Amino acid sequence: MTTTRPKHVEALIIGGGYAGLLAASVVALAGYDVLVLAGGRPAALPRDAACEPAGHGEVLHVGGMWDVNDLAYGSGPMLRRRGARTFPLPDGDPLSLTRSQSWGTHELLTCSRGLLTAVLREIVLANPARERGTTIVDGARAVGLIGDESAVLGARVRCDDGTEREVTAQLVVDASGADARTATWLGELGVAAAQVTTRGAAGFSAGCLFRAPHGLADVPRTTVTDGPRGATLVPVEDGLWAVTQTGPDRERIAGADAFAAAALTLSDPAVGRLIAVAEPAGEVIVSPAPALRWHRYEHVRGPRGIVVIGDALATFGPLDPRGALAAEAAVRALRVALGRGISHPTVSRRSQQAIAEEIGRLWSDPGTDPTADEHLEPVAPGPSTRLSRARAAAGRVLRPRAR
């Protein structure tokens, strides 16, 4: 990793998660130098916060290797070599409803967030097709924007050693996640506040990795919803299961014992029965799960020079595959707009409007998100035959052996 910290770049990416790394890839491939602020602990969370940002968890990616590889060339084969799993989505699977037939493959890619991030970082830094340098700085995050109500000219950056500096850029891409302070930063520049569309209620998400018992590494994705609570088990790399639970009460899902008990008390204990016979491969990590939220920056007049993507723009539920789809759609829109040149005065505006159109298509179909709205139909667990297979697998493990 390059450790230099330039004072001016053509593109400044705030955030080193999925959306930020995809954006860095397409901007670099368009021929521009890029600085990625990978950050650390989000500035919005104090050091003594009761919840830590989730460090791992499942990736429910509808579309498979093709979509990731399209935006970060070479990442698909690398993910496959390192154990990422793919499963075909049969017709009628609720997850397939998040993706138009015209978009290409109907495949489910599953892997840990750690694997996905590691592969994308390698691709962004080493992709031989890029013409300019790309720098990823860990422990550095934006603490404000520089510019005025007409244009964003860069950001104030705080490094892990406590120092601050201004980094100017022709384009700033804010992919800082659900804890983004974009609205506050724009307000400090005199920009009018953007309308925010919300749905559902805030809660908590807890994730834990488990080592699958012998013969059960290929148990199909299993999703159970029970009102505001839910659980999903997904097979990932290295014979592991990634299990995520959501709910309004942190204590109910925090800690190994509570996590296991909570899964068993759902209306369908399929996930709980499976993890009861599995060995934990890590600690339970709890993080806040905000309500679904969409900042309508496309309606704000100015400033130019900034594009907001990912959870900083539209936050979907932790069990909702639309989050990845929204990030990819945003980066594709950015790639198209960059055809005019990064310094073109309409690049950011055109990007934000095109992104809003894509987000709108996903936002209007909350049927696959179990946390979207208590008055909406909850997410279905998938075709009954697949859930039956998971239940049967749990039953085989728990069934007493004949004497």
Side-chain angles (χ1 to χ4, degrees):
M1 182 187 71
T2 307
T3 56
T4 57
R5 299 173 181 177
K7 294 183 179 180
H8 176 79
V9 289
E10 290 170 304
L12 176 64
I13 313 294
I14 303 174
Y18 186 57
L21 291 172
L22 289 183
S25 175
V26 301
V27 175
L29 288 171
Y32 302 104
D33 64 303
V34 179
L35 173 64
V36 180
L37 305 178
R41 185 178 184 81
L45 290 179
R47 294 189 178 277
D48 58 350
C51 299
E52 293 288 337
H56 56 67
E58 82 285 357
V59 172
L60 292 177
H61 186 288
V62 184
M65 300 288 186
W66 184 88
D67 289 302
V68 183
N69 196 71
D70 173 55
L71 297 169
Y73 185 74
S75 58
M78 188 179 293
L79 282 166
R80 192 180 298 276
R81 287 195 301 270
R82 297 191 183 181
R85 314 288 297 279
T86 56
F87 302 90
L89 282 175
D91 293 337
D93 188 299
L95 289 181
S96 68
L97 300 178
T98 65
R99 186 175 176 79
S100 168
Q101 288 285 350
S102 64
W103 287 6
T105 59
H106 270 245
E107 184 179 61
L108 186 67
L109 165 66
T110 65
C111 65
S112 67
R113 297 188 190 278
L115 175 62
L116 183 63
T117 301
V119 166
L120 289 179
R121 284 173 65 106
E122 288 187 36
I123 292 296
V124 165
L125 290 172
N127 198 324
R130 61 183 171 83
E131 299 178 10
R132 302 290 185 91
T134 297
T135 302
I136 298 178
V137 181
D138 293 306
R141 60 177 180 266
V143 293
L145 299 172
I146 56 177
D148 55 32
E149 67 274 11
S150 65
V152 170
L153 304 176
R156 300 196 312 275
V157 178
R158 180 176 299 158
C159 301
D160 52 4
D161 58 5
T163 60
E164 290 189 16
R165 67 170 15 173
E166 290 189 347
V167 177
T168 58
Q170 292 175 268
L171 179 67
V172 174
V173 179
D174 189 343
S176 52
D179 296 307
R181 302 189 66 240
T182 320
T184 300
W185 295 342
L186 290 174
E188 292 170 351
L189 299 184
V191 179
Q195 176 189 357
V196 181
T197 302
T198 61
R199 179 185 291 143
F204 296 91
S205 171
C208 188
L209 295 173
F210 291 84
R211 190 159 301 283
H214 179 71
L216 292 181
D218 291 325
V219 164
R221 167 182 54 86
T222 305
T223 299
V224 175
T225 58
D226 189 0
R229 299 175 57 209
T232 294
L233 180 150
V234 185
V236 293
E237 70 274 8
D238 300 328
L240 297 174
W241 292 337
V243 181
T244 299
Q245 293 193 67
T246 58
D249 185 357
R250 179 184 185 275
E251 284 67 30
R252 191 164 188 172
I253 54 177
D257 294 340
F259 187 87
L264 285 170
T265 59
L266 291 169
S267 57
D268 186 333
V271 173
R273 289 175 178 171
L274 285 168
I275 65 177
V277 294
E279 177 186 354
E283 297 181 354
V284 175
I285 298 179
V286 182
S287 59
L292 276 69
R293 193 171 54 213
W294 180 11
H295 296 268
R296 309 304 299 269
Y297 291 118
E298 77 278 10
H299 296 322
V300 176
R301 294 179 59 87
R304 66 180 183 274
I306 184 170
V307 178
V308 188
I309 65 173
D311 285 346
L313 175 65
T315 305
F316 291 95
L319 303 183
D320 193 332
R322 293 176 298 172
L325 292 175
E328 293 155 13
V331 174
R332 286 197 182 92
L334 176 61
R335 179 170 60 184
V336 171
L338 283 172
R340 291 174 169 259
I342 198 169
S343 60
H344 195 281
T346 68
V347 164
S348 56
R349 182 70 174 167
R350 286 176 176 270
S351 296
Q352 205 69 66
Q353 290 176 336
I355 291 167
E357 293 178 5
E358 297 295 338
I359 298 294
R361 296 187 182 99
L362 294 167
W363 187 268
S364 63
D365 179 21
T368 58
D369 177 22
T371 65
D373 192 314
E374 61 184 0
H375 301 296
L376 297 175
E377 191 69 21
V379 65
S384 58
T385 54
R386 297 173 69 210
L387 188 57
S388 297
R389 285 172 54 200
R391 291 171 180 157
R396 287 197 302 273
V397 174
L398 296 174
R399 189 180 302 124
R401 295 182 180 179
R403 295 185 181 275

